[in-house]
């Protein structure tokens, strides 16, 4: 008990006596101090006293699929900073292979009486995944915001990059360089953002059934992308649009494994414009997601719900920007 008081007092920046008064429900403590103590208790993973458990903390969960892809730490930086400015304490929950699942994180966040949750890259984006844990949040009336496209039936507010515009920009760029045989490396079959990108490509390029060989699916890893891209290269594509920067880097590796060069033989376009894409060899042409604007919008939507002002269940679409670097060039022979 003494250890707990010491840790909570240090975290909240108050005395142990003040912590004791808050935990015992005594008077003489300001609301701001009381909130700071309860938030510190939540962040450190201690259970609140029974009489205080009915109150939600000013704690907000941010659930990410990983931290290896640079786009997710970038989003986390924006979201956590914006939450802190709004007076909320972020709780970062990053999944790992064989580690804590998204479902487990939801249970932990509920146990800590969080005020709301922001998800990015979760199983809501996979049509064939289980979504029961999201419905638990709905049943609890907990404010939730999803970053990027997900299945429609969940009914949560969404903040997304316009995948159709992204593909139109990438495809138009490659066509302007004279590429006629253009392929795509996308995420899994049930991945909603990848579905949107494919639908946009069908519209932009006028693809029919015969063009299915221009699309390969992959896990969001460089190894998976290398295998997928190799198949496209063997079918004669000279330009490849990828559903993420990580997939684009795996595609560049595939080109080199076959003894070809980027961009002299094959042009590659990524998606995200995550950190260090200017430092790759060659620097990656990619479609930039407006991560800062999207992260701030996600926090605004969540706080609006938390404060009881209500929020539209519509999806906010943000326009991406094509960033041309060294991984694209005129088609061979042009």
């Amino acid at each position: 008990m003494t250890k707990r008081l010491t840790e909570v007092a240090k975290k909240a920046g108050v005395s142990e006596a003040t912590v004791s008064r808050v935990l015992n429900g005594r008077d003489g403590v300001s609301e701001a101090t009381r909130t700071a103590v309860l938030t510190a208790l939540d962040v450190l993973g201690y259970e609140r006293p029974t009489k205080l458990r009915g109150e939600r903390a000013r704690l907000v969960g941010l659930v990410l699929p990983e931290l290896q892809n640079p786009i997710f730490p970038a989003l986390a930086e924006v979201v956590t900073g914006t939450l802190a400015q709004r007076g909320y304490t972020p709780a970062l929950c990053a999944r790992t292979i064989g580690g804590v699942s998204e479902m487990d994180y939801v249970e932990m966040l509920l146990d800590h009486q969080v005020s709301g949750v922001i998800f990015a890259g979760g199983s809501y984006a996979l049509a064939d995944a289980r979504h029961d844990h999201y419905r638990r949040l709905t049943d609890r009336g907990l404010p939730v915001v999803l970053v990027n496209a997900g299945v429609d039936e969940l009914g949560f507010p969404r903040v997304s990059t316009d995948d159709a515009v992204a593909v139109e920009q990438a495809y138009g760029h490659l066509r302007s360089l004279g590429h006629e045989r253009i392929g795509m490396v996308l995420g899994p079959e049930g991945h909603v953002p990848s579905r949107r990108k494919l639908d946009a490509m069908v519209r932009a390029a006028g693809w029919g059934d015969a063009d299915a060989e221009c699309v390969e699916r992959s896990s969001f890893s460089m190894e998976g992308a290398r295998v997928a891209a190799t198949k496209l290269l063997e079918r004669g594509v000279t330009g490849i649009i990828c559903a993420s920067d990580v997939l684009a880097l795996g595609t560049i590796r595939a080109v080199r494994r076959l003894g070809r060069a980027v961009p002299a033989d094959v042009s590659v376009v990524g998606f995200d414009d995550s950190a260090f894409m200017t430092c790759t060899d060659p620097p990656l042409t990619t479609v930039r997601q407006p991560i800062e604007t999207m992260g701030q919008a996600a926090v605004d939507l969540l706080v609006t719900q938390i404060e009881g002002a209500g929020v539209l269940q519509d999806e906010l679409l943000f326009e991406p920007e094509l960033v041309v670097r060294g991984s694209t060039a005129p088609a061979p022979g042009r």
Side-chain angles (χ1 to χ4, degrees), residues 37-100:
V37 170
L38 293 177
T39 300
L41 202 71
D42 295 328
V43 171
L44 292 170
Y46 291 123
E47 288 190 7
R48 294 186 179 200
T50 304
K51 58 188 173 184
L52 300 177
R53 288 180 193 170
E55 303 178 24
R56 285 183 179 160
R58 291 183 69 84
L59 189 68
V60 169
L62 172 60
V63 184
L64 303 175
E66 56 167 316
L67 292 177
Q68 291 183 333
N69 184 336
I71 199 66
F72 292 117
L75 176 66
E77 183 178 7
V78 174
V79 170
T80 55
T82 307
L83 282 169
Q85 291 173 0
R86 302 292 292 269
Y88 290 86
T89 301
L92 179 61
C93 306
R95 306 197 313 274
T96 56
I97 297 174
V100 180

Side-chain angles (χ1 to χ4, degrees), residues 81-167:
T82 307
L83 282 169
Q85 291 173 0
R86 302 292 292 269
Y88 290 86
T89 301
L92 179 61
C93 306
R95 306 197 313 274
T96 56
I97 297 174
V100 180
S101 68
E102 186 176 69
M103 189 177 301
D104 291 335
Y105 272 130
V106 166
E107 292 300 323
M108 293 167 61
L109 291 170
L110 287 173
D111 287 344
H112 281 84
Q113 299 286 333
V114 293
S115 296
V117 185
I118 295 174
F119 290 92
S123 56
Y124 63 86
L126 299 171
D128 52 359
R130 291 185 60 186
H131 301 130
D132 298 349
H133 52 296
Y134 298 119
R135 296 187 178 93
R136 284 209 63 198
L137 298 173
T138 302
D139 293 342
R140 292 282 190 94
L142 198 70
V144 171
V145 174
L146 309 179
V147 177
N148 275 331
V151 294
D152 291 329
E153 59 266 22
L154 294 176
F156 295 131
R158 286 170 287 173
V159 174
S160 304
T161 299
D162 194 323
D163 291 301
V165 171
V167 169

Side-chain angles (χ1 to χ4, degrees), residues 289-304:
Q289 292 200 73
I291 288 298
E292 183 169 354
T293 306
M294 291 172 62
Q296 291 171 347
V299 172
D300 288 343
L301 281 173
L302 191 77
V303 172
T304 298

